[in-house]
Each structure stands twice: as structure tokens, then as C-alpha cells.
Amino acid sequence: MTQPVTAEESTADRSHGAGPRGRAWRRRLMRDELGVSLVLVLLVAAAGIAHPAFVHKDNLLSIAQNSSYVGLMAVGMVFALAMREVDLSVGGTYTLCLVVGAVLIRDGTDPWLSLLVTLPLAALLGAFNGLVTTVLEIPSFIVTLGTAMLYRGMALALADGRQISNLPAGNSFFTVLGGTVLSVPTSVWVLLVALIVFTVVLTRTRFGAQVRAIGSNPEAARFSGLPITRTRIKALALTGLMSGVAGALALAFFIAGDPTVGQGYELTAIAACIIGGTSLAGGRGSVPGAVFGSLILSVVAAALVFFQVPINWTTFATGAVILLAVALDSALRRSRGVGLKQGAAAVVSRLFRRSA
Amino acid sequence: MPAEHVGPPPVPPHPPRTVLAATAVGKRYDGIPVLAEAGITLRAGEVHALVGENGAGKSTLVKILSGVVRPDTGRVLLDGREVAFATSRQASAAGVALVSQELAIFGDLSVAENLFPHGLPRRAGLTSNAEAERRARPVLDELGLRLRLDTRAGDLDLADRQLLEICRALLTEPRVLILDEPTSALPKEAVDRLAAVLLRTRGRGIAVLYISHYLEEVLRFSQRVTVLRDGRVTLGGAEIATVDLAALVTAMLGEEHAAPEPRAAPAPAPASGPAREPGAAAVVLDSVTVPGRLDRVSLTARRREVVGLAGLQGAGHLTVLEVTGGRARPASGSVRLPGGVAPRSLRQATGHGVAFVPSDRKRYGLMLDRPVWENITSVSWLGLHRGGLLLHRRALVDRAARSARSLRVDGGVHRRTGELSGGNQQKVVFAKWLDTDPSVMLLDDPTRGVDIRARAEMHAVIRALADEGREGRAVLVASTDLSELVELCDRVLVLQRGRIVDELSGERLTQQALSVSMNAGFAG
């Protein structure tokens, strides 16, 4: 599907036809997200060994909660990246939706009904990115560089540069969306649902296949009669929508609309996607990988606190993690099809060869 | 400069002395010989033409002479001494300059920077535009290029860019100048300028090797000609006065194709069998004009008919495919697909049963990083939205496997498409269109870069495609391979400069006739 066929698979299916498939896709899924999930587990384990409090349930849940906003954006971003597009405006969309929601609620709109405004707005902002990209034939990198400031600027103007507070914190909107369900933060549940739904959308629907096909070879897609314009707008609308969902959840959690939050979220979301194995060259994307990626970033940030690393080193550490994770993943990927054991050996030997 | 100026050549100031020679050179790629015992001698002050069909070995010989490729056997002699250029830079330093077919222009740099790619001339340590101007201007004037040196090279039109590259080669003051298809991008007026330049290079004693498809030009510009066929020299350095167009074509194609005995080819083509009746008109072009590319072209292609489109590069045969497939829009005239629909875009045309199979399959045809089955089902499922919203992997794989089997794609449908051989990749492209059951097929060089066996298979497939389907299909084939057009097509339309100038079918459809028709009266 998304991924290059492994050697094992191609021998199994050397003959024409489907061949023995069954759990094959699940195996493939595990393999593709193996590198990134391994990194995640190792990080948590390492931190847990040094500081047992790190692996306490509450701490892990709070890490998951912290990662959920960027995680949702990263889920959307996978679709943009898999299509060779990029959306730098997700942070702006996130903030604008958060502020619009806050303003509506402050002015007396029912908090739940505000979702009927903010979520369609988010999708529209994303679709606008797609429309401008298509109509003016400007790369989405440049378009969204502009709209990122446009959207954030609207949020700043709307909030008059100040935080919007005095929201009815007792409303079920804030207690449910900003609270916990079965003692797990609601935003983590939402992330989990998004993870499942959009994994299916990307890998098992026509829309997902179109996104990946266009990303794999746009010219071939054009010659094959694919609806490129429509797919691009839909994919970017989806990316926008996911930022809107993140914004609404953040509003419910913080019970305030701060127009200065979400700075740099777009790059964090892109980093999460890349850590998770989504290719910037398009054609390949992993929704679970993006979620794991955002979890890794969140774990690192939390671990630094436990290890009492000065706060100013957080950015440095995040950069290091991105590079390490991507290196590990690409090493694993290259040694695919030679079996897990040899793969691990290849990774180790490569690491040592590099350092030698 | 008009043709009559070429007439009797001025007496060269040097005696006809051999500058560069290749003797008995051979070269194999992957065990397949592309050149065998080929030889050529270039004399000072002559224009020596090199002609041959695609794949005859011209490019390889040129690469050997210019040091890009080392021959397996044989020697290259410069001034009688054996040379083995390790790089093209060495060749250039030794006085062998190559202007290649692929334009090597840096679009973002200025004309001056393009003329001196190894660094602008310096004065007092700094690059000097005045010095560049002083050196380059005479050569530019000679080529009739009235350009400012600070113009961005990317802003020049194709012809000027081509001349710029020739200018760059001349600035190295070469003793041998190799021009590989220099006029394919040039309008007639620029070709005349080039003719004048060639005349002057003779006066300077430069040996020019001139590779061209345009046989009329060859006869007009050169003093001697060498013809290659299947890697061997079939006409070696003949004086131009002793040959004519027919002789050149015979040397290029071989006696068997030159004789007016059509369809002797052992192709499995049930081609012109009288049993096959063309069906209803499927594609109708009426006086279609695309400025600079097509000039009032009218044609009708019927179902169960394979119509060939022949022409030299830029003659417009590809544009016919593009306007029919919705890739280009005519400025005037009309294009009608089955049902009277006018093609507006690739996507819309695809929806109306058009399959456009471009020649560059890696770029336009395939997702090389994906398995075969995804490629095969991409048009029907992703383009035409046949099949459900959800991925029914098993159904798609089965369907792809059926198509793959019927076209004998080797290796199963789960292999990464990039791992397949060229012939198998092209079969995958066909399979994906077969999967949609189109009514019109537009094929651009359908067997480029595939081996003989795959080529024969493809031809059988194309014939079968025309006859299959509910009412049969109309197939339009543009090809640079004349034998392909002869073997495959019911009739072939010949284009020159955007106009249909000839139609060949039945007895008259021979490679010889095609070649003559494509070239006839061209340079005049």
C-alpha cells in the first residue's frame, strides 16, 4: 500500500494474484512504525529507570495530553506532506479557531454551538490554502507562509492582542472536552479516534490512495485523469480541520483564548510527521507514525524536566531527537526485508561505522 | 543565408588533412553491441554529416569522439596520435568541442556567464564584462545573435539558446566541432544563419561533424556523409556530390526496406488484412490550429483503425495527440471525441474514454515507488472513480493481476514498479489503460527503449486493442521509429511544420516512402 513491498512479501506473492495475505497488512504496519515506536518505548523506559516517577500513570497521561494538540495537527499534516504539499498555517489556524471560539463564548454563544463555527472555519481556512495554491499555481509552502501570518494576525486583531478570559468554566464544554473521560484526558481520546479514522482514510480509501498517488508522481496522476485540484483542496481542508479540532480542545482545556499560543506548532507538527516516517518527497505517509512522533517530542520535553536540564536546553534536545529518530528510522528502512535481526545488526554497524 | 550561397565551396586554406579519426571502434552496453567496427575520419575544413535511424549508434559514436565514453575496441586518433580522453573537459582542451542535443544552458545565469562556464575572463583579478564582450561579440555577430551579455539565458527562446551553445563551443576555438542535432530547435531563418556559420568554420579549417535527422539539410550543408545502421557503417565518408536523398535513405534503412515492396516485415501484424473493416469515426479533427505548432490540421480516426503520425521533431505529430487528449487546446478549429465531446483537460478526456500514453513513462506514466497493482488500478479507481470509496484491496489486486497476465507482465503485481525492466514497465502503463476500456488510444512512441521481444508483444497488443472492445477502438500512434509505423499502422499521416503533407497506406506505406515524405522539400 503506502509502503514499498518487503522482500518477504514479494516472495510470498511472486505468483499473480493476491496470495496468502491475511494479517500481512498488520505485519507491515508494525514494521513501518517499528522504528519510531521503538524509540518511544526506549525513551520512556530510559527515563523511567532513572526516575521511576516518570512512568507514573498521571505523568504519562499528562505527557500524552501535552502531545495531543500537535499530534492532531500532525495527523492532518500527513495528508499534506504525502501529497508533496506542506501547510505552514496550522499553527495560525489553531490559534484563530481558539480565539474565535473564545470570543463567541465570551459574547454569549453556547460553547458547544461555537464548534459549529470554529470547525467549519478551520476546514475553510485549509481549503483556502488549497484554492490559492491551485488557482495561482504557487507552491503551498509559500501560500501557507503567507496565510500563517494572515490567520495569526486575524486572531491577534480579534482578541485585541490580549488573552480572552472570564469564560463560563462550569459549562459542560469545558468540563468534558477539557476534562477526562474514564480518567484519560478527552483530547487523548480524540487523538486516538483520529489516529484510527485517518489511518483508515489514508491507507484504505480512494481519497487516501489519490493523495498518495498524486504525491508519488503528480505528472502521472495528471495523465491518469486524477482529480488533482479537488484532491489537493480536500487534503488541505482536512489539515486545516485537524488544527481546528486541536484549537477547540485547547480552548476547552485552558478555558482562555490566548492569541499568542501555538507559535511554531507547524514546525513541531512537521517534525512529528518526519519522525514518524512520512516522506517530504510525497507518496508515503504514516498517521500512527505522526502520532508516535509527537509523543516522542513530548516525552523528551517532559524527561528534560525530570533530569533537571535547564529549560533553555529543551529546543536543543528536541533538535537532537529529531535527527536521531530520523537517522534510526532511515537505517531501519534501508535494511528492510533482511529480517529484523539482521536489520538491527545493520543499524548498529551503521551507527558504529559513522562514529568511527 | 539562403541555399545558393552554399554552392561551390571556397577553396579551404589548408589541404584536406585528417584531424580526428576513429578506426574500428566497437562498444557494447550490457553485452548488446551498439557499435561494431565503426570508423569515421574528419578532415580540416569540412562539414561531415553523420546520419542514421534512432538506435543506429550515432550518439555512441559521438560520445566516443568527444571523450564522454571509452570504446571497447578500436582507436581514436587526433592528428594521427592515439588519444584516450578521460573526460569531456580533456577532449575540449584538446580542441574537440561538443554541442549536445540536450541543451546545457544555465537558465538563471547571464549570457556572458553561459559563454564562459569555467569563469568569466578576468582583468586585475576581477571578472570583466568588457573583456567578455570583447571576446564574445565577434562570435555572437557571426551567429547573428544580437544579445546583451547580461540577458538572463533562461529568457531566451529555444533557437537563441541553441545558438548560444554553439557560440560557447566556438569560443573554445576548437579544431573539431561536433553538432548533435543542432537544428531540431531552430526555425528556418536560424538554420540559414547556421549554414552561413558552417561555411565560415570551413574557412577557418575547423572540422565539423554534423549529426542530423534532416536529410535535406545534410545534402545542403555538408561535403561528406557517413551513414550508420545497426552500429555499422553503411556509407563511409562518401562525397556529397555522389549521393542523393534516396541513396541516403537506402543506406539508413537497408535494401530490403528501400525496395518498393511493402510489409515484407515479419511482424505478426494482421495489419492491412481486408477482413478488418474500420468502424465509426471516433476522433475527428477539423481545421485545428495551435499557433506555432499545428496549422489547420484535419483528420478522422475510425474505430478498429491504427493511424500513424510521422514527422521530424517539432513537425506537430505530438501536438495532434495533445489536442486530442485534452493536454493542449486548439486556438481555432474543433476536436471531437466519440459522442461529439470536445476534450478540455486530460481528466475530462480520460472520462470520455481517451487513453493518453506518453512516451516518457517514468515521468508521466508510472508511480515507480509503488507496486504494479496500484499503478494498474490507478486510472479506473482513482481517476474515473470506478469501484467503491473504500479500498477493496483483494478485488483491485485480482483485477490488476488479470490485466497483468493478459499482457504477460513478468514478476507478479506486488513488485515495485521501478524494479521492472523497461518493456515490463511499458506493459504496466498499457495495463492501466486497458483496465478502463477506452475507446480512443493515443500512443506516443509506444515502444521506446524496450527490447525486440517486448516490442513485438506490444505491437500485437496494440493491434488487438484496436479490434477489441465493444465497437473496437481508434488508435493514434506517433513514433520516431519508422519500422514501427510501417508494421503497426493501417495508414500513416506525415506532418511537416504543423501541416499534414502526405498520407501513406497499403503498398505505399514503406519506411523509404515515409522517410522521403518526412524530409522532402523540407529545407527548401
Side-chain angles (χ1 to χ4, degrees), chain A residues 204 206 210 216-217 225 283, chain B residues 347 366 369-370 382 389 391:
Chain A
R204 329 246 335 136
R206 176 161 64 209
Q210 284 170 332
S216 174
N217 187 343
Chain B
R347 175 168 166 71
L366 292 170
D369 56 340
R370 294 308 180 73
L382 301 179
L389 282 171
L391 170 74

Side-chain angles (χ1 to χ4, degrees), chain A residues 16, chain B residues 372 376 399-409 412-413 431:
Chain A
H16 288 288
Chain B
V372 168
I376 293 181
R399 216 170 72 204
R402 265 199 306 280
S403 294
R405 236 193 327 264
S406 75
L407 291 179
R408 284 196 294 262
V409 178
V413 294

Side-chain angles (χ1 to χ4, degrees), chain B residues 212-423:
Chain B
S212 182
H213 275 306
Y214 302 85
L215 301 181
E216 294 264 350
E217 265 176 32
V218 165
L219 291 172
R220 192 153 69 94
F221 291 177
S222 55
Q223 283 76 53
R224 293 198 302 150
V225 58
T226 292
V227 181
L228 284 175
R229 183 171 81 238
D230 298 333
R232 293 176 181 278
V233 174
T234 52
L235 192 64
E239 295 291 334
I240 210 75
T242 66
V243 293
D244 58 9
L245 189 59
L248 279 184
V249 171
T250 304
M252 277 169 66
L253 303 175
E255 293 293 340
E256 65 272 28
H257 291 294
E261 177 194 340
R263 307 238 166 205
S272 55
R276 290 173 358 87
E277 279 285 297
V283 175
V284 180
L285 270 65
D286 184 21
S287 197
V288 169
T289 297
V290 178
R293 296 164 70 194
L294 281 187
D295 185 9
R296 283 164 287 157
V297 164
S298 300
L299 67 89
T300 302
R302 301 178 176 282
R303 289 171 187 265
R304 286 195 287 278
E305 187 181 39
V306 180
V307 179
L309 296 164
L312 299 170
Q313 191 175 357
H317 47 310
L318 296 181
T319 314
V320 170
L321 297 188
E322 289 184 349
V323 295
T324 312
R327 201 184 182 209
R329 300 280 287 274
S332 66
S334 72
V335 183
R336 291 283 174 260
L337 300 174
V341 183
R344 288 196 314 273
S345 67
L346 282 168
R347 175 168 166 71
Q348 181 253 9
T350 306
H352 285 98
V354 175
F356 193 158
V357 184
S359 68
D360 188 346
R361 57 182 167 263
K362 289 190 176 162
R363 181 151 171 221
Y364 297 117
L366 292 170
M367 302 180 279
L368 293 172
D369 56 340
R370 294 308 180 73
V372 168
W373 72 266
E374 280 193 26
N375 275 291
I376 293 181
T377 54
S378 66
V379 187
S380 56
W381 189 45
L382 301 179
L384 298 175
H385 291 190
R386 292 185 196 157
L389 282 171
L390 289 179
L391 170 74
H392 295 292
R393 186 187 157 108
R394 166 157 244 137
L396 291 180
V397 168
D398 285 350
R399 216 170 72 204
R402 265 199 306 280
S403 294
R405 236 193 327 264
S406 75
L407 291 179
R408 284 196 294 262
V409 178
D410 296 332
V413 294
H414 291 287
R415 282 181 67 188
R416 234 163 51 86
T417 313
E419 295 168 1
L420 303 182
S421 69

